[in-house]
Amino acid sequence: MAADPVPMPVPTTEHAAVRDPAIRATRTPSPKGVRWFKELGWRYLVALLAVAFALMPAYFVVLASVSPTATLQGSQLLPREVTTANYTRLFEVTPFWTWLGNSLKIAGGAAIANMMLSAMAAYAFSRLRFVGRRVGLLTILLVQMFPQLLANVAIFLFLVNVRGYFPAIGFGTQLGLFLVYLGGALGTNTWLMKGFFDTVPTDLDESARVDGATHGQIFVRIILPLSAPILVVAGLLSFIFLFNEFILASILLGQEDANQTLATGLYRFIDQNYGQQWGPFAAGALIGSLPTLLLFLFGQRWIVSGLTSGSVKG
């Protein structure tokens, strides 16, 4: 069987203009030298300065993690020697993997639970009509505007009292911190998801109801699969915030070393001798940034679409 002929490219107006010497002569030549810099080059310079400014802190952290001096005063712009001694010392003198596991467990579990709770609340506000719907939406928004720092004292006293009745979820337990994290970003994620759910046509719901589907089946089989971008964005933002959260964790986890998250554990480690522990601290911070980086690489195709779709309709 003869192979199908390869279609020839159709010449466009642009191609004809490139071949015509008369048209090429009338075109404005590309600027060069000083003129090129004034019109275009300065933009590259500004972009390079912005990139260098953004990467400079990360560069110093990487540099400090492989520097043999292991002190903040001894850090140099260009290392004369590279070593892994800081990583070895970090693993020897601290329960680093326990801290990292605690952070992944608490932040990951709370982010997934928060995402599902927010999705169910957003579906109710988007699809159902009930008394107090508008008041409930405004209340969620107003609660988010209350300074969270002022609530930390109340949360601390509440968990101290809870420990007397339910020790498993009281002060000094990871489960208590997990439950506090559940309500942290619930309002923001609910509003973000409601905006996205509003863009899903209600005709799909009505067609499913005609076939006998319940609200639970519509939510699980129609809304959630179509809302993957916003679910990824909400889960990712919650995980990043909770993984790096420090204030509540330092207040509620108590003093037991094996109970700490990565943020509070590294802080307690470097607080003992700030200047001398700089190298191992930088090594721990560098390893601790990898989970967030990997999550961004995994979910980047959903992030932009999820953020823009959820923000265009309230």
Side-chain angles (χ1 to χ4, degrees), residues 9-37:
V10 179
T12 62
T13 307
E14 184 66 21
H15 294 157
V18 172
R19 290 195 300 268
D20 192 342
I23 297 178
R24 289 206 307 267
T26 58
R27 284 188 168 183
T28 305
S30 300
K32 297 180 180 179
V34 177
R35 183 183 171 191
W36 173 85
F37 182 81

Side-chain angles (χ1 to χ4, degrees), residues 59-78:
Y59 174 73
F60 273 105
V61 171
V62 175
L63 199 62
S65 69
V66 296
S67 173
T69 57
T71 60
L72 185 61
Q73 293 82 4
S75 298
Q76 299 172 338
L77 189 60
L78 295 176

